[in-house]
Amino acid sequence: MAAMLVLGIPQGLNNLAIQNTLYHQPEAERIASSAGLLRIFMYLGAIVASVVYGNVYGARATDGGLHVLGWVVIGVSVLFFLITAFDRSLRGIGRQDEGTPAQSQGGEAGGSQ
């Protein structure tokens, strides 16, 4: 029961954050393709994780395999952190250029078009 709370709550919050990002980031015309890409990469992640588990543990789960798996997770985490930290396109997210109206006000302030 405690393991479900410790592992389940963060996983549920992670899924909510990913879904909110999915609906917040793309333009309205691209939400469907973005949702499809999200699902594809979730499946690919599950496949890659299964391959890593199979290669690390082999026929039996051992302490040595768990340590190797820990290093693999640390390596992947550092890689993704570096990719995110050096991604210049993320710097402009959430910022608006001065002089341009917010997207939510664009239809109202523009009058009839």
Side-chain angles (χ1 to χ4, degrees):
M1 178 69 173
M4 288 186 352
L5 288 175
V6 171
L7 300 175
I9 291 174
Q11 182 63 32
L13 292 174
N14 187 32
N15 286 337
L16 285 173
I18 290 171
Q19 189 171 12
N20 283 334
T21 302
L22 170 70
Y23 292 118
H24 178 72
Q25 294 294 332
E27 296 88 18
E29 303 85 34
R30 296 185 183 187
I31 286 181
S33 60
S34 297
L37 287 171
L38 173 67
R39 186 58 62 188
I40 287 170
F41 282 101
M42 288 176 80
Y43 289 140
L44 285 175
I47 291 168
V48 169
S50 297
V51 169
V52 170
Y53 289 152
N55 286 325
V56 167
Y57 285 131
R60 292 184 27 192
T62 62
D63 289 345
L66 183 63
H67 291 233
V68 170
L69 186 61
W71 285 110
V72 169
V73 169
I74 289 171
V76 169
S77 299
V78 167
L79 176 68
F80 283 155
F81 174 77
L82 292 174
I83 289 171
T84 304
F86 292 109
D87 186 358
R88 290 183 170 182
S89 67
L90 295 176
R91 293 180 183 158
I93 293 177
R95 298 181 186 167
Q96 295 178 355
D97 295 335
E98 292 182 24
T100 59
Q103 289 181 349
S104 62
Q105 297 174 354
E108 299 169 7
S112 61
Q113 292 181 359

